[in-house]
Each structure stands twice: as structure tokens, then as C-alpha cells.
Amino acid sequence: MELALPAELNGYPGPMHVLELADALNLTEEQRERTEQAFERMRERASDLGEQVIESERELDRLFAERRATLEEIERLTDQTARRWSQLRAVHLEYHLVMLTVLDDEQVRRYGYLRSGRSHEHRR
């Protein structure tokens, strides 16, 4: 789904990939723990929101399956689904910002290089 693609393309580290690259980034034990905690919080929040997105889609499907669809209900449910998708994406992007508080500048540059094969210049 690439929910955090803008962050990834611009060198903002994601917690999952930081954990995958922990040795190459020379994470300290504290950094590893903070990254694991961030990843777990992100996963929990994203999972909850993902379930809400799925439920919104199911409701929309039921409207049509039960021949109860009206323009008002379609608009309500599509707006609800879009808000939930937006919240889900924001959660993924948020934790890329969190990682900037965990890693130092050199680790951020190294992360960009390891993820893309080239150095990302990133301003904090």
C-alpha cells in the first residue's frame, strides 16, 4: 500500500526498516528499544484503523447487497472510509517523524543510503 511512501522517498526512516537495519545503523540498545516501542505503537494504532477501514467497506458492500443504497448513505460511508484511510496513512507517516527523534543525523543519512543506494540529504 506504500502508506508512508513520501517519507521513504525523502529519507525519513521507518521503524520497521530501522529494526531490519539495526546492525548496519549501529543502533544503541536504547535506540533499539525506542524503535521497537515505536513500531509496536504504530502497529497497534494502524491495526485498529485498518479494521475500521475494512468495516466501513463492509458496510458499503452491505448497502448494495441488501439493495438499501441511497446517495446519502453512499456519501456518508465513502466519507467515513476516506477519513479512516487518511488517519491510517497519517499514523504511518507520523512514525517516520518519530524516528528522527531516535536516530542521529549520521544514522538517518546511512539509512537513506542503505534503503536507496544513495545518500539522502535531510534537514531537521
Side-chain angles (χ1 to χ4, degrees):
M1 290 184 290
E2 301 294 335
L3 294 172
L5 188 59
E8 277 294 326
L9 290 177
N10 289 286
Y12 287 74
M16 181 179 74
H17 297 302
V18 168
L19 290 172
E20 292 170 350
L21 298 169
D23 292 337
L25 294 172
N26 296 316
L27 294 187
T28 66
E29 190 57 39
E30 178 188 357
Q31 287 175 315
R32 190 181 298 260
E33 287 174 19
R34 289 178 64 195
T35 302
E36 288 169 351
Q37 291 168 356
F39 177 74
E40 187 57 30
R41 283 191 309 271
M42 181 190 72
R43 190 193 62 74
E44 288 172 3
R45 291 177 62 200
S47 179
D48 290 344
L49 287 166
E51 289 296 321
Q52 292 175 30
V53 167
I54 291 167
E55 184 53 36
S56 290
E57 291 290 348
R58 284 183 183 140
E59 284 183 58
L60 189 59
D61 186 59
R62 275 193 299 271
L63 278 181
F64 283 93
E66 296 170 2
R67 305 242 183 254
R68 296 183 297 113
T70 64
L71 182 55
E72 183 178 282
E73 281 299 296
I74 292 168
E75 288 174 345
R76 181 184 71 79
L77 285 171
T78 56
D79 285 347
Q80 176 180 283
T81 303
R83 275 192 314 277
R84 289 173 174 176
W85 266 111
S86 172
Q87 292 168 336
L88 179 60
R89 188 169 193 196
V91 164
H92 281 272
L93 291 165
E94 174 186 345
Y95 284 91
H96 285 256
L97 293 178
V98 168
M99 294 314 303
L100 293 180
T101 69
V102 174
L103 303 177
D104 65 33
D105 290 340
E106 181 55 36
Q107 288 169 316
V108 171
R109 279 190 287 280
R110 181 93 176 121
Y111 174 90
Y113 175 78
L114 292 168
R115 290 283 293 150
S116 69
R118 65 184 186 285
S119 178
H120 285 281
E121 291 304 316
H122 172 70
R123 295 182 189 141
R124 288 201 204 199

